[in-house]
Amino acid sequence: MKKTTTLYKVIDDKTITWFENNNEYVVLENTTADILKRLHKGIAVKEIATVLSKKLDVPLDKTIDLILELDKKFFTKEKSKTSEIGNDFRELKKPKDFEFIKYYKINDIIFKISFLSEKELSLVHPKFAHLVIDEATEFENEFEVFINHNYIFLYVNNTFIGSWSSKNVHYFQGKFSMELIQQIHQKEENEWLGVFHASAISNSKKSMLFLGDSGNGKSTSLALLQANGFTCLADDFVPVDAKKQEVYSFPAAISIKKNSLETLLPIYPELGTSAEYNFTRLNKIVRYLKPNNDDFFAHLPCNDLVFIKYEKDAELSCKEISKIDAFQQLIPDSWLSPKKENAQIFLDWFEGLKCYQLTYSDNKKMIASVTKLFDNDL
């Protein structure tokens, strides 16, 4: 059978390998990657095993078993079944009436978005409420969201986009956001390199991504930084284009968790009266803060990934970390383009990034440290 297309990139004495059949990135030892390359070229197992046996001083039958196991694991396994789209119900008719119709203005583009009920509204509206305008007679794009048979349906400009089961709400939200950025920036899905679960800030010349597990302080740090001269490009959903590998603005509000209010209320008193949302599925209570970005068409180069962590009483620490460690933290929560050309661009782009771990407890020191990173003083 034909082997799946693969790409290889050696970084930090490891080989990052991409498999086209399921758009999967795997970090491998160089020897393992070399075996896969030879298998992909069609070289016989016994021939590969003979060379490997002499190189590693291991019995031939052991190396044959190893190679066969690698072939089975990486080249003959079933294609991943992680598609976000469930039963599409293409013949299902759209509702005639929607309880909530909202108009959102993003720069000079007006979106009409219809929600069947409060349930659908709650899945989208809180992050974009700051963009709402009065009813408009003219608009550029129309989105329709409704639930039927426990599936969430999305139509954009009268075109069926997909349907998702109620347990895959996050896939729906990701697709909704992807459709939104395509309309804002006039780029098709295959023109995007990836979307990262991160926060993005800029100093108007370049951008930087903040990453980390939920609760580590990404959004809180972003809110602090935008109050100290930086611009919020995006929070939670950070798109990067394939052509120039630049971070593009996304207009969602910054999600602020309840335990951050004490820190942020003196700076943003409006948080004291803003609506509170209890997301039981995610086990978090948040309020939304309007980003200080006044140009949602903005896009800037990005040279740095910063894995940030707030830790009580911790001394400030900002140090460059292994790219392989950074890669393994970056990939799980990211959407990456399945297009081969984009996968190669992504690997090349990542190779050129600097990756840092920033741990802090003092907000002023964190802000000063980020300023130095932007000024290349670290």
mmCIF file of all heavy atoms in Angstrom, residues 8 30 79 88 118 140 159 181 202 214 221 237 253 262 342 362 376:
data_model
loop_
_atom_site.group_PDB
_atom_site.id
_atom_site.type_symbol
_atom_site.label_atom_id
_atom_site.label_comp_id
_atom_site.label_asym_id
_atom_site.label_seq_id
_atom_site.Cartn_x
_atom_site.Cartn_y
_atom_site.Cartn_z
ATOM 1 N N TYR A 8 9.654 16.034 7.511
ATOM 2 C CA TYR A 8 10.587 15.883 8.627
ATOM 3 C C TYR A 8 11.311 17.192 8.876
ATOM 4 O O TYR A 8 11.696 17.899 7.944
ATOM 5 C CB TYR A 8 11.624 14.792 8.322
ATOM 6 C CG TYR A 8 11.024 13.434 8.006
ATOM 7 C CD1 TYR A 8 10.729 13.068 6.695
ATOM 8 C CD2 TYR A 8 10.752 12.519 9.024
ATOM 9 C CE1 TYR A 8 10.170 11.834 6.402
ATOM 10 C CE2 TYR A 8 10.197 11.276 8.732
ATOM 11 C CZ TYR A 8 9.906 10.944 7.423
ATOM 12 O OH TYR A 8 9.353 9.718 7.137
ATOM 13 N N ASN A 30 15.983 10.646 16.159
ATOM 14 C CA ASN A 30 16.460 10.745 14.786
ATOM 15 C C ASN A 30 16.575 9.380 14.107
ATOM 16 O O ASN A 30 16.290 9.244 12.909
ATOM 17 C CB ASN A 30 17.803 11.468 14.749
ATOM 18 C CG ASN A 30 17.684 12.933 15.147
ATOM 19 O OD1 ASN A 30 16.611 13.526 15.031
ATOM 20 N ND2 ASN A 30 18.758 13.515 15.626
ATOM 21 N N LYS A 79 -7.007 5.813 9.528
ATOM 22 C CA LYS A 79 -7.057 7.275 9.526
ATOM 23 C C LYS A 79 -7.811 7.781 10.746
ATOM 24 O O LYS A 79 -8.805 7.202 11.153
ATOM 25 C CB LYS A 79 -7.726 7.776 8.249
ATOM 26 C CG LYS A 79 -7.598 9.282 8.040
ATOM 27 C CD LYS A 79 -8.076 9.685 6.663
ATOM 28 C CE LYS A 79 -7.894 11.181 6.457
ATOM 29 N NZ LYS A 79 -8.313 11.588 5.110
ATOM 30 N N ASP A 88 -24.868 15.593 9.393
ATOM 31 C CA ASP A 88 -25.087 16.943 8.876
ATOM 32 C C ASP A 88 -26.562 17.294 8.629
ATOM 33 O O ASP A 88 -26.883 18.461 8.486
ATOM 34 C CB ASP A 88 -24.263 17.200 7.606
ATOM 35 C CG ASP A 88 -24.598 16.254 6.468
ATOM 36 O OD1 ASP A 88 -25.705 15.704 6.473
ATOM 37 O OD2 ASP A 88 -23.743 16.096 5.578
ATOM 38 N N GLU A 118 -32.043 31.238 23.512
ATOM 39 C CA GLU A 118 -31.007 31.726 24.425
ATOM 40 C C GLU A 118 -29.846 30.743 24.533
ATOM 41 O O GLU A 118 -28.710 31.141 24.778
ATOM 42 C CB GLU A 118 -31.613 31.978 25.800
ATOM 43 C CG GLU A 118 -30.705 32.771 26.718
ATOM 44 C CD GLU A 118 -31.415 33.266 27.979
ATOM 45 O OE1 GLU A 118 -32.638 33.086 28.086
ATOM 46 O OE2 GLU A 118 -30.720 33.825 28.827
ATOM 47 N N GLU A 140 -23.011 42.733 5.542
ATOM 48 C CA GLU A 140 -22.178 42.015 4.573
ATOM 49 C C GLU A 140 -22.274 40.495 4.710
ATOM 50 O O GLU A 140 -22.121 39.763 3.727
ATOM 51 C CB GLU A 140 -20.702 42.426 4.727
ATOM 52 C CG GLU A 140 -20.350 43.777 4.155
ATOM 53 C CD GLU A 140 -20.920 44.949 4.942
ATOM 54 O OE1 GLU A 140 -21.086 44.801 6.181
ATOM 55 O OE2 GLU A 140 -21.210 45.991 4.343
ATOM 56 N N THR A 159 -25.208 29.148 3.276
ATOM 57 C CA THR A 159 -24.483 27.917 2.949
ATOM 58 C C THR A 159 -24.331 27.078 4.209
ATOM 59 O O THR A 159 -23.891 27.582 5.254
ATOM 60 C CB THR A 159 -23.088 28.243 2.375
ATOM 61 O OG1 THR A 159 -23.251 28.989 1.175
ATOM 62 C CG2 THR A 159 -22.308 26.969 2.080
ATOM 63 N N ILE A 181 -13.217 34.701 10.901
ATOM 64 C CA ILE A 181 -11.949 35.305 10.441
ATOM 65 C C ILE A 181 -11.814 35.226 8.926
ATOM 66 O O ILE A 181 -11.177 36.087 8.318
ATOM 67 C CB ILE A 181 -10.703 34.704 11.125
ATOM 68 C CG1 ILE A 181 -10.557 33.211 10.844
ATOM 69 C CG2 ILE A 181 -10.699 34.993 12.611
ATOM 70 C CD1 ILE A 181 -9.199 32.658 11.268
ATOM 71 N N SER A 202 0.725 42.897 21.099
ATOM 72 C CA SER A 202 1.650 43.539 20.168
ATOM 73 C C SER A 202 2.123 44.877 20.740
ATOM 74 O O SER A 202 1.496 45.452 21.630
ATOM 75 C CB SER A 202 0.971 43.767 18.818
ATOM 76 O OG SER A 202 0.191 44.944 18.834
ATOM 77 N N SER A 214 -4.902 26.206 31.129
ATOM 78 C CA SER A 214 -5.961 27.040 31.694
ATOM 79 C C SER A 214 -5.674 27.317 33.165
ATOM 80 O O SER A 214 -5.342 26.407 33.927
ATOM 81 C CB SER A 214 -7.308 26.332 31.549
ATOM 82 O OG SER A 214 -8.338 27.112 32.093
ATOM 83 N N SER A 221 -2.624 38.166 32.300
ATOM 84 C CA SER A 221 -1.403 38.850 31.853
ATOM 85 C C SER A 221 -1.709 39.758 30.675
ATOM 86 O O SER A 221 -1.215 40.887 30.599
ATOM 87 C CB SER A 221 -0.332 37.820 31.462
ATOM 88 O OG SER A 221 -0.028 36.973 32.543
ATOM 89 N N PHE A 237 -8.210 32.490 20.793
ATOM 90 C CA PHE A 237 -8.262 32.043 19.403
ATOM 91 C C PHE A 237 -7.317 32.935 18.605
ATOM 92 O O PHE A 237 -7.659 34.071 18.281
ATOM 93 C CB PHE A 237 -9.705 32.152 18.890
ATOM 94 C CG PHE A 237 -9.938 31.607 17.512
ATOM 95 C CD1 PHE A 237 -10.370 30.301 17.325
ATOM 96 C CD2 PHE A 237 -9.758 32.408 16.390
ATOM 97 C CE1 PHE A 237 -10.622 29.800 16.048
ATOM 98 C CE2 PHE A 237 -10.005 31.929 15.114
ATOM 99 C CZ PHE A 237 -10.437 30.614 14.945
ATOM 100 N N ALA A 253 -13.667 39.238 23.020
ATOM 101 C CA ALA A 253 -13.280 39.878 24.285
ATOM 102 C C ALA A 253 -12.323 38.975 25.066
ATOM 103 O O ALA A 253 -12.206 37.778 24.795
ATOM 104 C CB ALA A 253 -14.524 40.167 25.112
ATOM 105 N N GLU A 262 -9.863 40.545 41.670
ATOM 106 C CA GLU A 262 -9.214 41.381 42.691
ATOM 107 C C GLU A 262 -8.039 42.149 42.100
ATOM 108 O O GLU A 262 -7.816 43.330 42.403
ATOM 109 C CB GLU A 262 -8.746 40.516 43.865
ATOM 110 C CG GLU A 262 -8.156 41.326 45.015
ATOM 111 C CD GLU A 262 -7.726 40.455 46.192
ATOM 112 O OE1 GLU A 262 -8.072 39.252 46.210
ATOM 113 O OE2 GLU A 262 -7.039 40.976 47.093
ATOM 114 N N ASN A 342 1.270 23.950 3.727
ATOM 115 C CA ASN A 342 1.154 24.712 4.966
ATOM 116 C C ASN A 342 1.862 24.028 6.126
ATOM 117 O O ASN A 342 2.428 24.686 7.011
ATOM 118 C CB ASN A 342 -0.311 24.937 5.313
ATOM 119 C CG ASN A 342 -0.988 25.908 4.364
ATOM 120 O OD1 ASN A 342 -0.333 26.546 3.537
ATOM 121 N ND2 ASN A 342 -2.301 26.024 4.449
ATOM 122 N N ASP A 362 4.945 38.826 40.665
ATOM 123 C CA ASP A 362 4.883 40.285 40.724
ATOM 124 C C ASP A 362 4.489 40.814 39.341
ATOM 125 O O ASP A 362 5.230 40.658 38.373
ATOM 126 C CB ASP A 362 6.246 40.843 41.140
ATOM 127 C CG ASP A 362 6.225 42.343 41.360
ATOM 128 O OD1 ASP A 362 5.864 43.066 40.413
ATOM 129 O OD2 ASP A 362 6.571 42.794 42.467
ATOM 130 N N ASN A 376 14.138 42.847 22.713
ATOM 131 C CA ASN A 376 15.233 41.884 22.501
ATOM 132 C C ASN A 376 16.374 42.091 23.484
ATOM 133 O O ASN A 376 17.565 41.961 23.151
ATOM 134 C CB ASN A 376 15.782 42.002 21.062
ATOM 135 C CG ASN A 376 14.736 41.628 20.050
ATOM 136 O OD1 ASN A 376 14.032 40.642 20.203
ATOM 137 N ND2 ASN A 376 14.632 42.415 18.986
#
